[in-house]
Amino acid sequence: MSAPRLEIDLDKIHHNARTLVEQLGNRGISVTGVMKSSLGSPEIARTLLRAGVKMLGDSRLENIEAMQQANITASMMLLRSPMISQADKIVTVTDLSLNSELGVIRMLSSAAKAAGRTHGVVLMVELGDLREGIMPADLNDTVRQVLCLPNIALKGIGTNLACHSGVSPDAKNMSELSRLADSIEAAFGLTLDIVSGGNSANLDWALSCTNTGRINNLRLGEAVLLGCEPLHRQPIEGLYTDAITLIAEVIESKAKPSQPWGEIAQTAFGIKPPAGDRGNMLRVILALGHQDVDPDGLQGPNGIAIIGASSDHLIIDSGEFRLKAGTEVRFQINYSALVRSMTSPFVAKVLTHTSKNRLL
Ligand SMILES: *Cc1c(COP(=O)(O)O)cnc(C)c1O
């Protein structure tokens, strides 16, 4: 089989999504399945929908279009604040978008009017992580102006934490979002359908807090695909952490010195020789590099250590293992490695099903 490749186990992804949809459903929270690290794969999208996600979300229009061309009819949420240059397309291919700029929403309004459509808007609120969001003090004023715009439906409010500054979702910032939802409803006499509390980083809070307040939606990508939460990168109980794995092939395997020789200057990507001379060691090269994956996000089998990487080569210390050329090595990946390898044209994507031989 071709290498490098990602093996994507749709049954494990289904299990992860189903488990989270049920656990959050018990707490009144629906799930938007986030597709942005899956390049709009229709098979992954269908797997998430079968598992009960309410709608699909993506940060890129190209992925949303790819899903629609594959006849996926679910509601599509644009996660990244819209570019004005894409306003016409956004109102035709998505149902709603997360927004924080009034000027952009005005352009969406004219585009929606021209297209004879209504576009849903979720206003993002800044609650401390300092990426996208309207400052809470400016929210009422923005709502007032959005409500005047033709062909725009105010669907709700949301926030995004733990992405830029690592601010954890907790009782304090989540109850602030609930309070803002209540206050908008009271001030304008309307109902907000969606109060979207955040991403995979919200799971700790959502599944352990005593009161989820008004939060009724989370947008989940990493937790579903990798089975781990992004705050401390710990596995989530009951989920598979190996639904997606990366396989690479050995192209050189030799006993060589542990230390380089000659005059030492810069390396291509900063390969560090291991500290201390250990004499000869088994050095193995895999056909895998920065063009395929984020090498820092790889975890190899026990007993194998990654020494360094350049554009096309990954050098490992294979310890006790003699891995001759042609051998395949399987890696666990983190979110950064997942995003890079999913979007690399050099990495094959192979969909698999465990359920053929194992009950889920
Ligand atoms: C990427 C993204 C998500 C999903 O984040 P995960 O950590 O993968 O769950 C949710 N919301 C927004 C706005 C995003 O950009």
Side-chain angles (χ1 to χ4, degrees):
M1 216 182 261
S2 78
R5 66 179 182 277
L6 281 168
E7 284 190 4
I8 303 167
D9 187 321
L10 294 175
D11 293 324
K12 289 184 176 175
I13 291 175
H14 181 269
H15 169 89
N16 286 358
R18 183 81 210 148
T19 304
L20 291 170
V21 163
E22 277 173 7
Q23 289 177 353
L24 292 168
N26 291 338
R27 317 202 111 213
I29 296 177
S30 71
V31 174
T32 296
V34 172
M35 290 292 298
K36 68 187 182 205
S37 60
S38 309
L39 268 188
S41 155
E43 292 85 0
I44 296 179
R46 285 201 189 92
T47 301
L48 299 185
L49 290 165
R50 265 198 302 119
V53 309
K54 194 180 167 200
M55 64 179 121
L56 297 172
D58 207 299
S59 43
R60 293 174 192 255
L61 281 185
E62 292 86 343
N63 292 345
I64 291 177
E65 287 180 298
M67 290 187 271
Q68 288 174 339
Q69 274 152 23
N71 295 322
I72 289 168
T73 54
S75 272
M76 296 288 176
M77 174 190 262
L78 181 66
L79 299 174
R80 186 169 64 184
S81 304
M83 288 188 250
I84 286 177
S85 58
Q86 295 187 327
D88 291 334
K89 210 167 223 182
I90 287 165
V91 300
T92 54
V93 306
T94 74
D95 301 285
L96 71 168
S97 53
L98 306 183
N99 284 270
S100 58
E101 282 289 326
L102 196 54
V104 173
I105 304 171
R106 284 207 182 93
M107 298 309 286
L108 292 172
S109 165
S110 347
K113 196 169 177 206
R117 290 176 60 102
T118 299
H119 186 71
V121 162
V122 172
L123 292 176
M124 295 298 273
V125 187
E126 176 62 72
L127 290 179
D129 199 53
L130 296 177
R131 203 178 72 180
E132 72 274 36
I134 300 160
M135 291 298 285
D138 300 329
L139 191 57
N140 268 12
D141 196 42
T142 309
V143 169
R144 183 174 304 111
Q145 302 193 57
V146 167
L147 291 174
C148 298
L149 294 174
N151 299 69
I152 291 290
L154 179 63
K155 291 287 187 193
I157 61 172
T159 196
N160 194 67
L161 296 170
C163 268
H164 176 65
S165 311
V167 171
S168 302
D170 58 18
K172 193 156 179 275
N173 46 41
M174 288 298 105
S175 54
E176 162 131 45
L177 191 64
S178 289
R179 188 190 60 73
L180 290 167
D182 287 339
S183 103
I184 290 170
E185 291 186 346
F188 297 95
L190 50 76
T191 308
L192 297 173
D193 292 343
I194 300 174
V195 183
S196 188
N199 54 47
S200 295
N202 285 65
L203 284 170
D204 258 359
W205 165 81
L207 298 174
S208 68
C209 69
T210 46
N211 182 1
T212 51
R214 293 290 313 272
I215 314 303
N216 64 7
N217 174 263
L218 289 180
R219 314 172 303 271
L220 302 182
E222 177 168 356
V224 171
L225 298 175
L226 297 180
C228 82
E229 54 79 31
L231 289 178
H232 311 288
R233 296 257 135 70
Q234 292 301 310
I236 300 170
E237 214 187 303
L239 302 193
Y240 290 108
T241 54
D242 60 350
I244 307 182
T245 50
L246 180 70
I247 291 125
E249 184 178 325
V250 173
I251 53 172
E252 183 190 295
S253 176
K254 294 192 191 308
K256 288 191 191 179
S258 58
Q259 295 293 313
W261 63 93
E263 195 160 320
I264 309 291
Q266 278 188 18
T267 66
F269 283 91
I271 299 179
K272 289 186 225 80
D277 189 350
R278 301 161 41 204
N280 267 11
M281 59 185 283
L282 288 177
R283 300 178 76 99
V284 168
I285 304 179
L286 296 160
L288 186 74
H290 284 273
Q291 295 201 70
D292 310 290
V293 72
D294 174 3
D296 291 334
L298 294 173
Q299 201 197 321
N302 283 340
I304 283 181
I306 294 169
I307 306 175
S310 53
S311 313
D312 314 297
H313 297 80
L314 186 79
I315 304 171
I316 61 176
D317 169 357
S318 70
E320 306 287 301
F321 302 105
R322 281 206 166 270
L323 305 172
K324 58 184 207 293
T327 308
E328 291 190 336
V329 181
R330 186 178 290 267
F331 294 89
Q332 295 255 68
I333 50 178
N334 74 7
Y335 190 68
S336 172
L338 173 71
V339 170
R340 181 97 57 91
S341 52
M342 276 286 201
T343 50
S344 170
F346 305 110
V347 179
K349 284 83 186 172
V350 180
L351 303 168
T352 65
H353 288 272
T354 21
S355 64
K356 287 200 187 103
N357 35 35
R358 197 152 108 221
L359 197 66
L360 267 180

